[in-house]
Amino acid sequence: MDLTPEQADRAAGVLLGTAAGDALGAGYEFTHPGPDVEIRMKGGGAFRWAPGEWTDDTAMAVAVARAAAAIGDICSPAGLDAVAAEFVAWWDSGPKDIGNQTRQVLEHRDTGGRAMQMRAHDLPGLKAGNGSLMRTAPVALAYLDDPERCGKAAKLVSSLTHYDMQAMQACKLWTLAIRHAVLHGTYDGLRDALSQVDTGFWEPLLDKAESGGPADFANNGWVVHALQTAWWAITHAETLPAALELAVRAGGDTDTTAAIAGGLLGARWGASAIPAEWLSLLHGYPGLGAEDLTALARRITER
Ligand SMILES: [Mg+2]
C-alpha cells in the first residue's frame, strides 16, 4: 500500500512504540512506582534487562511481524502456520520471561497454526491474560487496506495462545484502533470499532478508563484491565513519552501495559515522536535494534 510520509512515520511507530513502552516498563515490572521515582529506560527489574532491552511482548510482536512480512495475509492457513512457527522459534531461543498461558501452549512446540490454536482452546481455567493483546500491534500493518480482514486476523492470532472471547475481542478493538491511527492520525478508530465487538461489555470499560484511575483496573495481568490501563494512560497525557510514563506509573505488569499503549501511541504520533535517546538504546530478540524494527514495518506495508 502507498503511504504518505506521515503515514509511513506512523507505521514505523507501531513496532517502535511497542518496543519503547516494553523496554521502559521492563525495569518496573510487578512494582508500583511512587511519585518520587523517576521513570527511565534503565533496564533491571525481575529479569535483569539491559537498558533499552525489550522483553517477551516485543519479541512476540516481532514474531508476528516477521510472519506478516513473509506471508502477508496472516489469517490464511499458511499465514497462521508462519506465525506459529515464529512463536516456536522464539520459544526455542530460550527467552528469560514468558507468560503462563503462552508457556502452556508453546512448550508443546506445535508448528502448525491449527494445532497451536487447538492447544490454546483446550487449556483449562482462566484464559483471558494480556499476553495476546501485548503483541497484536503489527497485525494492523498487514491490513492497512482491509479493515475486515484486520479484525479477523487480530482474533485469529490471539487464538493461537489466548483462545478466549475477551482476549480476542480486546485484540480486535486495539488492532483496528492502531490501523485507523496509522491511516488517519487519530484515536477515533477505537470507538468506531466498538460496533464490531460486544459493545455493551466494552463501551463502559472505555468510559471508565477515561473517567477513572489505575485503582479501578488494577488487575492488569487480565486483558480487560490491561487495555483499560493503556487507554487511561493514553487519554491522560499530552505526548507519547508522557503517556508511556503514566502506563508504567500505573504499576503491575508495567512492561505489558506500556507495550500495549505504545503500539497505539506510536501509530498515532509516529516514530518521530519517540525520544532519540530511547531509540538508540532499544534492542532485543532476535538481535534487532530500532532501525531493524523500522525496516520490518516497511517490509510489511510495502508488500
Ligand atoms: Mg514482558
Side-chain angles (χ1 to χ4, degrees):
M1 183 172 176
D2 283 336
L3 301 180
T4 67
E6 292 77 18
Q7 288 171 327
D9 181 47
R10 296 197 292 265
V14 170
L15 277 173
L16 286 171
T18 300
D22 182 7
L24 186 70
Y28 305 88
E29 196 177 6
F30 311 127
T31 71
H32 290 79
D36 53 324
V37 175
E38 190 189 0
I39 304 299
R40 294 185 298 116
M41 193 70 85
K42 69 182 179 71
F47 297 98
R48 300 178 175 228
W49 303 102
E53 185 178 8
W54 62 69
T55 81
D56 56 333
D57 309 58
T58 307
M60 295 195 83
V62 165
V64 172
R66 281 157 58 109
I71 305 290
D73 184 10
I74 47 176
C75 49
S76 66
L80 275 185
D81 284 350
V83 177
E86 287 284 353
F87 285 173
V88 171
W90 170 68
W91 166 269
D92 286 347
S93 76
K96 51 185 170 181
D97 74 331
I98 177 165
N100 282 336
Q101 232 174 297
T102 299
R103 175 191 305 279
Q104 288 176 62
V105 173
L106 293 191
E107 65 187 2
H108 298 281
R109 302 183 69 257
D110 296 304
T111 49
R114 183 72 182 154
M116 189 173 282
Q117 187 185 45
M118 284 302 101
R119 189 82 65 185
H121 176 271
D122 292 343
L123 280 186
L126 299 173
K127 295 197 282 192
N130 60 21
S132 62
L133 182 59
M134 73 185 192
R135 63 168 198 243
T136 199
V139 175
L141 296 177
Y143 297 98
L144 292 178
D145 58 351
D146 190 340
E148 203 164 310
R149 276 189 94 68
C150 182
K152 184 179 177 196
K155 290 176 80 168
L156 278 172
V157 171
S158 173
S159 76
L160 290 175
T161 55
H162 291 63
Y163 200 116
D164 173 273
M165 198 49 71
Q166 290 174 351
M168 291 193 284
Q169 291 196 356
C171 287
K172 186 172 184 180
L173 260 183
W174 207 248
T175 308
L176 288 171
I178 290 169
R179 176 186 174 276
H180 185 98
V182 168
L183 292 174
H184 306 292
T186 75
Y187 293 129
D188 296 346
L190 186 61
R191 294 222 176 233
D192 287 354
L194 279 172
S195 61
Q196 313 230 6
V197 295
D198 180 350
T199 316
F201 179 76
W202 288 101
E203 192 165 33
L205 294 167
L206 294 184
D207 293 343
K208 189 70 186 174
E210 292 175 17
S211 65
D216 296 314
F217 21 85
N219 179 22
N220 58 33
W222 177 32
V223 67
V224 171
H225 280 190
L227 187 148
Q228 286 183 287
T229 302
W231 187 236
W232 168 79
I234 289 170
T235 53
H236 287 76
E238 297 296 323
T239 66
L240 179 149
L244 290 183
E245 180 179 330
L246 270 191
V248 174
R249 287 201 182 283
D253 201 353
T254 51
D255 56 322
T256 295
T257 55
I260 294 164
L264 182 51
L265 284 160
R268 164 68 181 85
W269 297 111
S272 54
I274 301 173
E277 189 206 340
W278 289 3
L279 293 176
S280 70
L281 286 170
L282 284 179
H283 69 284
Y285 174 91
L288 304 184
E291 286 178 14
D292 300 307
L293 296 187
T294 301
L296 184 52
R298 198 181 307 121
R299 279 172 57 208
I300 300 170
T301 59
E302 287 182 354
R303 271 187 61 92

